[in-house]
Amino acid sequence: MSLPKMITLNGFVGFTLIAALVAMFGPSFPSLQEHFAISEAQVGLSLTAHFIGTFAGTLSAAFFRRWTLRSRLLTCSVIFVLGSFIIAFAPLWWIFLAGTAFRGFGAGLYFTDINALFAKGFGRRSAAILGLVNAAYGAGSFFGPLIIGLFSGDYRFPFML
């Protein structure tokens, strides 16, 4: 038993990209502080907002269980992309934080769906595949800071990516 290749690929690519975007926060802190004229403590709230959104998305995933897989994944993607655009173009700090939480919400929904699918979609190999997809998250965590470095610490384009 195995999931379709496109869903499997979606899971691996999605986990890698989400982790890269989360890992971009740290290296972009100086740029965020300068752009929004905020303190180090305030800029740290961006990660808190993301993880609160992720937690809320994970908890609310049960409300979307009656939707088809395609609808759920599309919804996660749209929420995530909209949150990314809000982050990239936010004129005010509180709008940036709201976009971060919104994007985190989409990530939480996505993580729940992919982990649930992979947990049952590969039969006896499910545990190994879950380990691999979460390793893809680890790889993304490595690439995020590199991407920010390519843009000299500017957060706008990489977060929109």
Side-chain angles (χ1 to χ4, degrees), residues 1 7 15 17 21 24 36 40 43 53-54 64 75 84 90 96 106 111 116 119 141 143 149 156 160:
M1 178 162 92
I7 290 175
F15 267 52
L17 290 175
L21 287 166
M24 286 180 193
F36 292 109
E40 291 172 355
V43 79
T54 302
F64 296 94
T75 300
S84 293
F96 182 91
F111 290 150
S141 296
F143 292 119
R156 289 185 186 269
M160 191 175 62

Side-chain angles (χ1 to χ4, degrees), residues 7 61-77 109 113 117:
I7 290 175
F63 295 112
F64 296 94
R65 286 288 167 223
R66 292 190 178 192
W67 294 15
T68 65
L69 174 63
R70 176 177 284 197
S71 297
R72 288 193 319 261
L73 289 176
L74 181 62
T75 300
C76 299
S77 298
L109 291 172
D113 276 343
L117 279 171

Side-chain angles (χ1 to χ4, degrees), residues 109-124:
L109 291 172
Y110 183 80
F111 290 150
T112 303
D113 276 343
I114 294 299
N115 277 314
L117 279 171
F118 283 24
K120 64 181 178 179
F122 290 94
R124 294 182 335 191

Side-chain angles (χ1 to χ4, degrees), residues 4-160:
K5 288 180 182 166
M6 285 306 293
I7 290 175
T8 304
L9 180 64
N10 180 298
F12 279 90
V13 171
F15 267 52
T16 304
L17 290 175
I18 291 170
L21 287 166
V22 171
M24 286 180 193
F25 279 110
S28 66
F29 278 5
S31 179
L32 290 168
Q33 282 181 270
E34 183 180 323
H35 179 76
F36 292 109
I38 55 175
S39 70
E40 291 172 355
Q42 287 173 302
V43 79
L45 289 174
S46 59
L47 277 172
T48 303
H50 172 82
F51 290 122
I52 288 171
T54 302
F55 182 66
T58 301
L59 288 179
S60 65
F63 295 112
F64 296 94
R65 286 288 167 223
R66 292 190 178 192
W67 294 15
T68 65
L69 174 63
R70 176 177 284 197
S71 297
R72 288 193 319 261
L73 289 176
L74 181 62
T75 300
C76 299
S77 298
V78 167
I79 291 171
F80 196 84
V81 168
L82 286 175
S84 293
F85 275 100
I86 292 169
I87 288 168
F89 297 109
L92 302 170
W93 177 239
W94 70 268
I95 295 172
F96 182 91
L97 287 178
T100 303
F102 193 64
R103 186 174 77 175
F105 185 82
L109 291 172
Y110 183 80
F111 290 150
T112 303
D113 276 343
I114 294 299
N115 277 314
L117 279 171
F118 283 24
K120 64 181 178 179
F122 290 94
R124 294 182 335 191
R125 298 179 308 147
S126 289
I129 298 296
L130 277 170
L132 287 174
V133 77
N134 284 287
Y137 188 91
S141 296
F142 173 78
F143 292 119
L146 292 176
I147 294 168
I148 288 290
L150 290 173
F151 292 93
S152 302
D154 184 35
Y155 69 93
R156 289 185 186 269
F157 182 75
F159 278 176
M160 191 175 62

